[in-house]
């Protein structure tokens, strides 16, 4: 299985070219994983959510998080089960999460998220009042790694 490690820049580019990932948190000793929409912006990962819930409780108890983004590029099917494989790309980030309190910063992040998700379609600009209706979380990246399983 030809696996290739990605450099930091390539891993960051992969993060920037995707919009969905999985967030792992751990509050009271029990891991919890959540699929979510995100934006990679200014070398940080951001997402929005309700103002209360399991992941926010975990982040309040323990700011350390893991974030993962992956894609399946190709399934390799063979008559021999041990010869089957998946060609994939994946990035894993370890970092610290914090809730953004500043309404202006929340609005800026939500607009960056909309720009990434709208893919050129029109959308209403998020103002500070709108931003205050949800929580916005910032993940500061401590460590990033990526790998690809490619065709030989």
């Amino acid at each position: 299985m030809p696996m290739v490690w990605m450099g930091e820049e390539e891993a960051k580019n992969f993060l920037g070219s995707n919009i969905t990932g999985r967030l792992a948190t751990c509050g009271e000793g029990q891991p919890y994983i959540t699929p979510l929409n995100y934006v990679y912006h200014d070398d940080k990962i951001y997402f929005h959510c309700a103002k209360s819930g399991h992941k926010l409780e975990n982040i309040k108890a323990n700011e350390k998080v893991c974030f993962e983004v992956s894609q399946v590029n190709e399934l390799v099917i063979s008559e021999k089960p041990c010869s089957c494989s998946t060609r994939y790309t994946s990035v894993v980030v370890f970092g610290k999460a914090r809730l953004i309190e500043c309404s202006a910063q929340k609005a800026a992040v939500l607009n960056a998220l909309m720009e990434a998700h709208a893919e050129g379609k029109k959308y209403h600009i998020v103002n500070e009042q709108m931003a205050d209706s949800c929580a916005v979380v910032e993940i500061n990246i401590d460590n990033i790694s990526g790998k690809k399983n490619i065709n030989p």
Side-chain angles (χ1 to χ4, degrees), residues 105-131:
Q105 185 182 7
K106 285 171 62 172
V109 166
L110 290 169
N111 283 310
L113 188 125
M114 282 302 302
E115 185 177 326
H117 287 252
E119 297 180 332
K121 296 181 179 102
K122 291 183 180 182
Y123 61 90
H124 292 283
I125 299 298
V126 178
N127 62 35
E128 291 181 30
Q129 183 180 6
M130 293 164 67

Side-chain angles (χ1 to χ4, degrees), residues 19-36:
I19 57 173
T20 60
R22 282 141 302 277
L23 175 73
T25 60
C26 192
E28 299 296 320
Q30 179 65 48
Y32 180 67
I33 192 159
T34 309
L36 48 79

Side-chain angles (χ1 to χ4, degrees), residues 8-26:
E8 184 175 331
E9 245 356 90
E10 186 178 6
K12 288 179 176 182
N13 287 337
F14 184 74
L15 272 182
S17 68
N18 284 276
I19 57 173
T20 60
R22 282 141 302 277
L23 175 73
T25 60
C26 192

Side-chain angles (χ1 to χ4, degrees), residues 74-93:
E74 178 185 2
L75 292 174
V76 179
I77 306 301
S78 172
E79 288 183 10
K80 296 179 184 179
C82 292
S83 297
C84 294
S85 185
T86 303
R87 303 297 183 239
Y88 63 86
T89 305
S90 68
V91 168
V92 175
V93 168

Side-chain angles (χ1 to χ4, degrees), residues 9-81:
E9 245 356 90
E10 186 178 6
K12 288 179 176 182
N13 287 337
F14 184 74
L15 272 182
S17 68
N18 284 276
I19 57 173
T20 60
R22 282 141 302 277
L23 175 73
T25 60
C26 192
E28 299 296 320
Q30 179 65 48
Y32 180 67
I33 192 159
T34 309
L36 48 79
N37 296 314
Y38 77 95
V39 64
Y40 177 68
H41 179 67
D42 292 338
D43 279 333
K44 296 176 184 172
I45 296 167
Y46 295 93
F47 65 90
H48 76 294
C49 60
K51 288 186 165 189
S52 65
H54 198 152
K55 67 180 159 287
L56 289 183
E57 289 302 315
N58 280 358
I59 289 168
K60 288 176 189 172
N62 181 355
E63 68 182 357
K64 293 181 180 180
V65 297
C66 183
F67 188 77
E68 186 269 350
V69 178
S70 59
Q71 72 183 28
V72 173
N73 300 322
E74 178 185 2
L75 292 174
V76 179
I77 306 301
S78 172
E79 288 183 10
K80 296 179 184 179

